[in-house]
Amino acid sequence: MGVVNSTELSLLIRQLRKDAIMRQFSKFSLNLILCLLSASSGQLLARSQAPYPASQIITKLTWDPEVVKMEGCISGDNLPIAWVNDSLQVTAFCDGKGFAADAPDLSLGFAIVSGDPPSFRAENFKTDADTPKGGGPKGIKASDMIMVEGALYMFVRNYKPPGSEDFTNARLACSNNLGVNWTWADWHFSETFGCPAFVQFGNDYEGARDSYLYIASQANDNAYGYSPDVVMARVEKDRVMDRNGYLFFSGLDENGVPLWSRDISERKAIFTDPKGTQRIAIAHNAALGRYILTTSHLSGKKTTHTAALGVFEAPEPWGPWSTVYYEDHWSVADGKDCRTYHQRFPPKWMSSDGKSMWLLYSGLDCGLYTFCVKKAMLEVARVGSPESEPEADVTRTFSIVAVDPESGVCGAAVASKYPAVGKIVPYVRAGVGAFCTQHWHNPEWGERALDMLAKDTLPEQVLAELLGDDAKREKRQLAIIDMSGRVAIHNPAKADPSGIWWGAVSGKYYSCQGNTLVGREVVFAMARAYEETEGSLADRLMAALIAGDCAGGDHRGRLAAGIRVAREGIDGTWLELYVDKSDDAVIDLARKYAALSHEAKGAWRGGMLPFEHPCADRTQRSGKVEQ
């Protein structure tokens, strides 16, 4: 090798330094890429291990990184909460002092919560149900609370009947003065319903699905264990304290309609996770028209609590469920798991568009043995995206509301490109009438509208009350009819420009309305079919819906359809039938109706087997149908 001069030596040193830097950068880049791939694959793996497919409605849940702990909360956990009026909620704390440093430690204590996170506070109050600290499983704890028309109900777990040493029971109590004094039921659940949770709706049960309270629980009698299944019961809201009034979910019939049995031994699961469920909660997100279920699950060896969390959504309290979020290590601090439990989304802390919610929870580690909340932001499938469903608060739809004063029957039917539309647009009540809210629908208005109608408020006054201070009134389409046949309609003055046609036509004892339709022929075909069909009111509703569909219906497609019928003398909905997701929903609904044996049906040939396609020249047919 020859002699290297100083200039060559300087160039060589600079090149060697550059190569060294690049090698270090390459090593760093590779490690970073591997790290990111590992994190991404971990998230994909967690999602792939979820018990249900990913939601097509709520496409993403993002957590705010901050855990907000209520200032002034000294200690306590579990923290069920009930929305009792516009501004206040009642909560129960377990094994702690609650919100006063000088308070005694209680196994069960109570507090009033005011405000919304992060600016909220709570204050203890004394009750005749205050229970000295019993320590974990040997002291009663509130599993859930709910306010229903002025009555506050509470289930407690870890109840030990007199003369027994068995703490794995659940008991019900009721208060008529916001929790100060309690009346206890003379019965208790001793099997399966070990940690009962009410399906939560709005303020004082506003916007409830129907006249029932729904109760869900992990399917065992011990709140400290895990069960793969979740079970459900329901009871009329005026019979909550009566054990004989409870009906237990026992599966679905061939038409996808839920079955209910008075025999608890016939119960069946509404939800299953092989990794277990514990201390579940279900809340109705009114703006999205979806039920949100939260539960812990096991993430490895068997233990009482984990850092895992699953969030699921469904169009009904009993499903079918889809996964929104599923993670084995949801709660982590400084690289270590934090054991958390009894996570729930209080409806009061859901935004008006349903796209942000606050999760309430507590935990054993990481300073979480207190009143903790964490904000969740949801991404909802957008209108016009070829791979997604429409935005959740815009139901572009055609529907019919109708009554038969002579038979005391009322009903509504609906179809749309919006999923599960039959469960969020039409509302019916025996002896009262029918109501539809669509195109920027508001599910909370369903029961509210019928409540006003039941008080002899004129239909047009009902709509005026609903729309009075509503910021979206120019985008909503509403239709309401009372049992006298009086109709009121509100069409959207500022409907989305993508809609081709919207409007309504009404006649004797009915009204047909729609938006984003192919043209006016849709509602006129519906009206003609309703007037000319011979049969029961349910028959005529189905005939009208089919006629609208065959005339072109919603110009964007045919995803979902449903019918609801009520009859005087029969509590709740007399007939309900849905197709939640299909390539040809109205025709699939018609097939189900034809196969159905029900008193609501009449002599209409279109509602009988063998089924004859009413617009058979249409080539589009159903592939997969989801109820």
Side-chain angles (χ1 to χ4, degrees), residues 155-161 164 166-172 186-196 217-223 231 243 248 264-265 267:
F155 266 111
V156 299
R157 54 181 173 82
N158 304 357
Y159 169 66
K160 181 176 77 70
S164 168
D166 179 12
F167 288 87
T168 59
N169 303 278
R171 193 180 186 189
L172 177 68
D186 59 2
W187 56 272
H188 61 273
F189 284 127
S190 59
E191 55 180 318
T192 305
F193 285 80
C195 193
S217 175
Q218 61 200 62
N220 60 14
D221 58 6
N222 187 345
V231 290
R243 174 61 180 82
F248 300 90
I264 192 173
S265 68
R267 65 196 180 276

Side-chain angles (χ1 to χ4, degrees), residues 162-186:
S164 168
E165 291 303 315
D166 179 12
F167 288 87
T168 59
N169 303 278
R171 193 180 186 189
L172 177 68
C174 177
S175 172
N176 291 311
N177 56 6
L178 294 183
V180 175
N181 302 106
W182 294 90
T183 299
W184 292 90
D186 59 2

Side-chain angles (χ1 to χ4, degrees), residues 223-245:
Y224 297 85
Y226 288 80
S227 168
D229 296 330
V230 174
V231 290
M232 176 169 280
R234 74 176 186 176
V235 60
E236 289 278 1
K237 59 187 178 183
D238 58 355
R239 297 188 66 188
V240 181
M241 298 295 282
D242 179 5
R243 174 61 180 82
N244 292 326

Side-chain angles (χ1 to χ4, degrees), residues 290-329:
R290 312 301 282 184
Y291 293 85
I292 310 296
L293 183 151
T294 49
T295 178
S296 300
H297 59 264
L298 290 169
S299 55
K301 65 179 182 179
K302 189 175 181 180
T303 184
T304 302
H305 298 301
T306 71
L309 175 66
V311 180
F312 306 87
E313 62 86 6
E316 290 282 16
W318 49 83
W321 298 99
S322 299
T323 302
V324 176
Y325 179 89
Y326 196 78
E327 176 57 57
D328 289 350
H329 307 281

Side-chain angles (χ1 to χ4, degrees), residues 578-602:
Y578 310 108
V579 169
D580 289 343
K581 190 176 181 182
S582 164
D583 295 332
D584 204 356
V586 173
I587 300 306
D588 285 325
L589 183 71
R591 291 177 187 277
K592 292 177 71 173
Y593 186 82
L596 181 67
S597 176
H598 197 284
E599 287 183 294
K601 295 177 63 176

Side-chain angles (χ1 to χ4, degrees), residues 343-489:
Q343 301 92 344
R344 68 189 85 226
F345 286 109
K348 187 177 188 301
W349 294 336
M350 296 179 181
S351 63
S352 60
D353 64 0
K355 296 179 183 179
S356 69
M357 311 184 294
W358 288 88
L359 185 77
L360 170 59
Y361 66 100
S362 53
L364 293 180
D365 313 304
C366 313
L368 300 178
Y369 197 74
T370 185
F371 195 106
C372 303
V373 296
K374 197 175 182 72
K375 190 175 185 179
M377 286 77 71
L378 308 180
E379 293 184 15
V380 178
R382 303 292 298 179
V383 177
S385 173
E387 70 278 1
S388 66
E389 308 297 354
E391 187 175 6
D393 48 5
V394 182
T395 43
R396 298 178 172 93
T397 301
F398 59 99
S399 66
I400 178 172
V401 294
V403 299
D404 182 355
E406 186 175 340
S407 65
V409 178
C410 60
V414 62
S416 178
K417 182 64 168 65
Y418 185 87
V421 70
K423 297 167 182 174
I424 58 170
V425 163
Y427 298 84
V428 299
R429 188 181 300 175
V432 176
F435 172 73
C436 282
T437 167
Q438 56 203 52
H439 196 273
W440 294 91
H441 74 279
N442 187 339
E444 290 190 355
W445 285 358
E447 293 303 318
R448 182 180 168 192
L450 295 176
D451 286 344
M452 288 189 279
L453 211 59
K455 296 175 182 177
D456 294 326
T457 306
L458 291 173
E460 57 266 28
Q461 292 175 331
V462 172
L463 298 193
E465 177 68 23
L466 295 175
L467 296 166
D469 56 356
D470 177 38
K472 295 180 179 177
R473 58 184 174 273
E474 299 303 328
K475 285 187 171 290
R476 302 198 195 276
Q477 187 173 48
L478 308 174
I480 188 167
I481 186 170
D482 66 14
M483 290 304 297
S484 298
R486 292 176 295 200
V487 171
I489 303 163

